[in-house]
Amino acid sequence: MQFHFFINSIRKKRRFGGKWLSQTKLKNLALIKEYYGYSNDKAKSALDILTKDQLKLIKEKLYKGGTK
C-alpha cells in the first residue's frame, strides 16, 4: 500500500534526484574534498565557485607522482 501511495502521489518529473555529475566533475570533486577536507555537499558548492585555474592549481598541489 505504501508503494502505491508514493508512486501515485509523486509526479513523474520529481521521482528521481537530480542530474548526475560527469566523470571530470567527479574527479574534481574528489580533489576538492581532499584539498579542503570538505564533505560532498560543501565540495559540490565549492566546485561551482572555483575557476579552471584554481582547479588546476589544486591538482598540481595534490599531484603525488606517477601516471596522471
Side-chain angles (χ1 to χ4, degrees), residues 52-66:
K52 290 181 182 180
D53 293 334
Q54 291 170 331
L55 289 172
K56 187 176 180 181
L57 180 69
I58 290 172
K59 186 183 263 187
E60 289 173 358
K61 287 190 176 190
L62 291 177
Y63 181 66
K64 297 177 179 130

Side-chain angles (χ1 to χ4, degrees), residues 63 65-68:
Y63 181 66
T67 59
K68 288 187 178 182

Side-chain angles (χ1 to χ4, degrees), residues 29-42:
L29 191 72
L31 289 173
I32 292 170
K33 285 172 58 175
E34 182 179 350
Y35 188 75
Y36 291 111
Y38 283 169
S39 65
N40 284 334
D41 295 331
K42 282 188 178 181

